[in-house]
Amino acid sequence: MGTASKRVTINDVARTVGVSRQTVSRALNDKGEIDVGTKQRVLDAARELGYRPSRFARGLVRQDTTTIGLVIPDLLNPFFTEVAAGALEAARARGWHVIVYDTAGSADEERGTLEVVVSQVDAVVGYFSLAEADLDAHLSGMPAVLIGREHQTPRFSSIRVEGAAGVREAVDHLVSKGHREIGMLDHAGRSEPSIRRAWFTDAMNAHGLAADAVGNALQSVDGGTEALTGLLTEHPELTAVFTFNDIIAIGALRAARRLGRVVPDDLAVVGFDGLQLGTVVDPALTSVALDTRRVGALAIEQAGRLLTGSTPLPSEELLVNAVLLVRESA
Amino acid sequence: MGTASKRVTINDVARTVGVSRQTVSRALNDKGEIDVGTKQRVLDAARELGYRPSRFARGLVRQDTTTIGLVIPDLLNPFFTEVAAGALEAARARGWHVIVYDTAGSADEERGTLEVVVSQVDAVVGYFSLAEADLDAHLSGMPAVLIGREHQTPRFSSIRVEGAAGVREAVDHLVSKGHREIGMLDHAGRSEPSIRRAWFTDAMNAHGLAADAVGNALQSVDGGTEALTGLLTEHPELTAVFTFNDIIAIGALRAARRLGRVVPDDLAVVGFDGLQLGTVVDPALTSVALDTRRVGALAIEQAGRLLTGSTPLPSEELLVNAVLLVRESA
DNA sequence: GAGGTGTCCGTGAACGTTCACGGGAGCGTT
DNA sequence: AACGCTCCCGTGAACGTTCACGGACACCTC
């Protein structure tokens, strides 16, 4: 008995019970127009046979199941995890499903992922490194929402982070505590300086301070440690430092301790992102926090709108403001 | 032009090009038996019309796409994230897709999730809190692999963690450094003590030491901080402490610092899990490490075997050994 | 010029489910 | 006795794609 393979279909169930497919369908989907007795018999038989409806056949006839692809560079990076959690939550609230793809930060992997994504989901959301033309070529018209990066063509939507005010808050906070020599650890990835650095420069200038003590850090804890060590040898006068993100800031924290600088008394540290991770280090990280959950949620929301053809959210609403979150490190 | 809705099908493409569906299908799937010229014309038309094949129709006829559900209690917990990353990687290597469900640690959410999972994936893998009978009732025969928990009935498979040797290593390490008064922070969740505590007790007894200085910590950083503070007031003689997991250990690290105990000199701390997170704290956490990636990968592998009907891996191979990972805290 | 060999293309069928419709049985009303 | 209503159930059709065939045409071979 029970040799192997060959899927159990709705017809098999119907046959063993002695009714039609439609009756089985009615029983399984809780529709009316069915006798309670037969319904029970159908349910029992279905269980007995180990019948599970084909999601393909079902999806083909009813158009209601939507699946969204979430593309992130690295699941082990807590920043992306927080965004992912927000996206998952928002999707669940709508009854949607999320397939997660980790591109490992590689452009090739990303291309390969897109190739696959196209045939598996209804819309895609996430962090991409490819140029828009390249993306468009691989996506063949599928709705896509870019996160953490501004879209250039109307082909795409994007969730943007507005941090000028938050960074301004941070600098204000530092200045009000008497800091004048404030440095920054920018990221070392791209060739041009980041927008966050521009925000920092503006905030500093508003106080009549120069923002010229800037180091570059690789996007890792070790990168932050190394970069701050370098920056402090070059600029020993610094009493505070603002970093591109929390990961780098945590590395900076470690460097400070190793150099014998007590945080926040000898050196204040302010990160960016406001990750929960910042609460596990000691002292807890002060940071320009953005609502990562909301980032993920907005992306899902917009993907849904693009999907259903309803009016998409305007650019102004696809914005997440960052605000200063004072903990212990500054 | 371009009113709305109504999906573009393969027939639409065929009609505009003036060929049959089959020819379109050939072009799109890189099959032979097609003229390069027509192939190009088909491809162009498909792009022009924004045609994307229906994954449902395609999945219905070819049985090759497999999707696996990954159920985890909390995506923000780095432990689950690491396992998830391992699962994703293993799935990608096989060309499978992973739908992630976050149950938020609630049993009700878990039931609801299962309800949905059944109709969306081919097999399910993850951390469940429900009893096996309850799970079975919701899964209607779908292959399932339990992680971090031993299966009771042959209906399920499970990935187990073998940590006796690793904990023994940890205690050996501590004893060799002169520690005699070693406490433990168990978790406060379940009613009965954990297996990890039993491992600890055995290891201690092997050295002729008693394992009676045990506190209970909630599974959070704060829980660890609180619990260690309590344990140390009750047992000030302790010079080392082993914790249920790394999260609790990190909390313990913070408590130690606040109490003026220098780690590892005044108090050695050993965690469990070996999370990457342990490297961002200072001092870096020594831990009984398990290969979280492998946990996820094994789960996927076993799910695949159950799915294809090939011989499933025996219990002995579904085992992940934990080994001592010495960093700085002990 | 009959036969053979490629190359390219089209037609029915099938995948497994739900939807729209129709119909019989039973009961009550007029 | 005819009609209507409710309750239950079944039958074709449709969803959009791929698979297994078969066939037209051109070219070459002897």
Side-chain angles (χ1 to χ4, degrees):
Chain A
M1 52 175 281
T3 52
S5 52
K6 215 53 198 160
R7 182 183 189 98
V8 179
T9 80
I10 198 174
N11 286 310
D12 298 328
V13 179
R15 202 175 317 116
T16 59
V17 181
V19 295
S20 73
R21 329 166 237 139
Q22 185 58 16
T23 301
V24 176
S25 177
R26 276 191 265 257
L28 263 52
N29 298 341
D30 267 340
K31 303 242 171 149
E33 311 199 358
I34 187 175
D35 182 81
V36 274
T38 38
K39 177 167 179 176
Q40 194 53 51
R41 280 187 299 136
V42 168
L43 259 33
D44 289 346
R47 166 168 305 274
E48 187 66 28
L49 296 178
Y51 167 69
R52 269 175 302 134
S54 155
R55 66 171 178 284
F56 295 118
R58 180 172 283 179
L60 191 55
V61 56
R62 3 191 281 208
Q63 315 283 53
D64 54 358
T65 47
T66 62
T67 303
I68 295 192
L70 173 63
V71 177
I72 52 182
D74 182 15
L75 233 201
L76 293 181
N77 182 323
F79 174 76
F80 298 120
T81 306
E82 290 195 12
V83 174
L88 251 59
E89 190 180 0
R92 155 183 284 265
R94 290 167 176 74
W96 298 347
H97 303 267
V98 175
I99 302 192
V100 179
Y101 300 91
D102 188 330
T103 55
S106 134
D108 276 347
E109 290 275 14
E110 190 176 323
R111 253 180 285 261
T113 299
L114 290 180
E115 213 76 47
V116 153
V117 157
V118 167
S119 63
Q120 277 322 69
V121 303
D122 302 305
V124 67
V125 145
Y127 293 84
F128 305 91
S129 64
L130 269 42
E132 294 194 9
D134 206 348
L135 282 177
D136 191 28
H138 285 276
L139 251 30
S140 55
M142 169 175 295
V145 179
L146 317 178
I147 314 184
R149 147 182 180 186
E150 203 135 354
H151 68 274
Q152 309 295 332
T153 63
R155 159 74 177 84
F156 295 101
S157 283
S158 56
I159 311 295
R160 292 167 8 258
V161 173
E162 177 50 60
V167 173
R168 176 66 197 270
E169 266 188 278
V171 172
D172 288 354
H173 176 74
L174 291 173
V175 169
S176 78
K177 292 226 168 185
H179 296 281
R180 311 288 297 170
E181 305 290 345
I182 308 173
M184 173 172 179
L185 253 36
D186 201 2
H187 69 179
R190 309 290 190 289
S191 47
E192 77 273 20
S194 66
I195 314 181
R196 297 182 191 180
R197 175 165 171 191
W199 293 335
F200 173 68
T201 303
D202 289 348
M204 288 291 280
N205 291 346
H207 283 280
L209 300 173
D212 46 8
V214 176
N216 288 303
L218 292 173
Q219 295 229 27
S220 66
V221 175
D222 287 340
T225 303
E226 202 169 328
L228 183 64
T229 308
L231 186 65
L232 283 184
T233 57
E234 208 170 335
H235 295 277
E237 73 278 9
L238 293 180
T239 63
V241 62
F242 168 66
T243 69
F244 178 78
N245 67 18
D246 284 355
I247 304 286
I248 293 174
I250 288 174
L253 246 35
R254 184 200 287 163
R257 179 163 318 158
R258 291 190 181 163
L259 294 172
R261 297 249 207 163
V262 176
V263 177
D265 299 338
D266 299 341
L267 184 77
V269 176
V270 179
F272 195 102
D273 284 344
L275 299 185
Q276 289 199 358
L277 181 63
T279 64
V280 319
V281 293
D282 197 16
L285 190 62
T286 291
S287 183
V288 179
L290 68 126
D291 190 345
T292 48
R293 273 190 128 62
R294 196 168 122 80
V295 171
L298 273 181
I300 294 291
E301 166 70 20
Q302 178 73 345
R305 296 199 173 218
L306 294 176
L307 218 45
T308 59
S310 63
T311 63
L313 290 170
S315 229
E316 314 88 66
E317 301 196 24
L318 294 174
L319 200 74
V320 179
N321 287 98
V323 298
L324 181 65
L325 174 60
V326 178
R327 290 200 277 236
E328 301 170 353
S329 71
Chain B
M1 54 175 283
T3 53
S5 52
K6 214 54 201 160
R7 184 184 188 96
V8 178
T9 80
I10 198 174
N11 286 310
D12 298 328
V13 179
R15 202 174 315 118
T16 59
V17 182
V19 294
S20 72
R21 339 168 227 136
Q22 185 59 17
T23 301
V24 177
S25 177
R26 276 191 265 255
L28 264 51
N29 298 342
D30 265 340
K31 301 243 169 147
E33 312 200 356
I34 185 174
D35 182 79
V36 274
T38 40
K39 176 167 178 175
Q40 194 53 52
R41 279 189 298 133
V42 168
L43 258 33
D44 289 345
R47 166 168 306 275
E48 186 66 29
L49 295 178
Y51 167 70
R52 270 174 300 133
S54 154
R55 66 172 178 281
F56 296 118
R58 181 172 280 178
L60 191 56
V61 57
R62 9 192 275 210
Q63 315 284 49
D64 54 359
T65 46
T66 62
T67 303
I68 294 193
L70 173 63
V71 176
I72 52 181
D74 181 15
L75 195 57
L76 293 181
N77 183 323
F79 174 75
F80 297 119
T81 305
E82 290 196 12
V83 173
L88 249 59
E89 190 180 1
R92 156 183 285 263
R94 290 168 175 75
W96 298 346
H97 303 268
V98 176
I99 302 191
V100 179
Y101 300 91
D102 187 329
T103 55
S106 133
D108 276 346
E109 289 277 13
E110 190 175 324
R111 253 181 285 261
T113 298
L114 291 180
E115 213 77 46
V116 153
V117 156
V118 166
S119 62
Q120 275 327 66
V121 304
D122 302 307
V124 67
V125 147
Y127 292 84
F128 304 92
S129 64
L130 268 44
E132 293 195 10
D134 207 349
L135 282 177
D136 191 28
H138 285 276
L139 251 31
S140 56
M142 168 176 294
V145 179
L146 316 178
I147 314 184
R149 147 181 180 186
E150 203 135 356
H151 68 273
Q152 309 296 332
T153 63
R155 159 71 177 86
F156 295 101
S157 283
S158 56
I159 312 294
R160 291 168 7 260
V161 173
E162 176 50 60
V167 173
R168 177 65 198 272
E169 264 189 279
V171 171
D172 288 356
H173 176 74
L174 290 173
V175 168
S176 79
K177 292 229 167 183
H179 295 281
R180 310 289 296 169
E181 305 290 344
I182 308 173
M184 173 171 180
L185 252 35
D186 200 2
H187 69 180
R190 308 290 191 288
S191 47
E192 77 273 19
S194 66
I195 314 181
R196 297 182 189 178
R197 174 163 174 194
W199 292 336
F200 174 69
T201 303
D202 288 349
M204 288 291 280
N205 290 346
H207 282 280
L209 299 174
D212 44 9
V214 177
N216 288 304
L218 293 173
Q219 295 228 29
S220 66
V221 175
D222 287 340
T225 302
E226 202 169 331
L228 182 64
T229 308
L231 186 65
L232 283 183
T233 57
E234 208 171 335
H235 296 276
E237 75 278 10
L238 294 180
T239 64
V241 63
F242 168 66
T243 68
F244 177 77
N245 67 18
D246 283 355
I247 304 287
I248 292 173
I250 287 173
L253 244 37
R254 184 200 287 164
R257 178 164 319 157
R258 290 188 181 164
L259 295 172
R261 297 250 208 163
V262 175
V263 176
D265 298 339
D266 298 341
L267 184 77
V269 176
V270 179
F272 195 102
D273 284 343
L275 300 185
Q276 289 199 358
L277 181 64
T279 65
V280 318
V281 294
D282 196 17
L285 189 63
T286 291
S287 183
V288 179
L290 68 125
D291 190 343
T292 47
R293 274 190 129 60
R294 198 168 121 80
V295 171
L298 273 180
I300 293 291
E301 166 71 20
Q302 179 73 346
R305 296 198 174 220
L306 294 175
L307 219 44
T308 60
S310 64
T311 62
L313 290 171
S315 226
E316 312 89 65
E317 301 196 26
L318 293 175
L319 200 74
V320 179
N321 287 98
V323 299
L324 182 64
L325 175 60
V326 178
R327 290 199 277 235
E328 302 170 353
S329 70

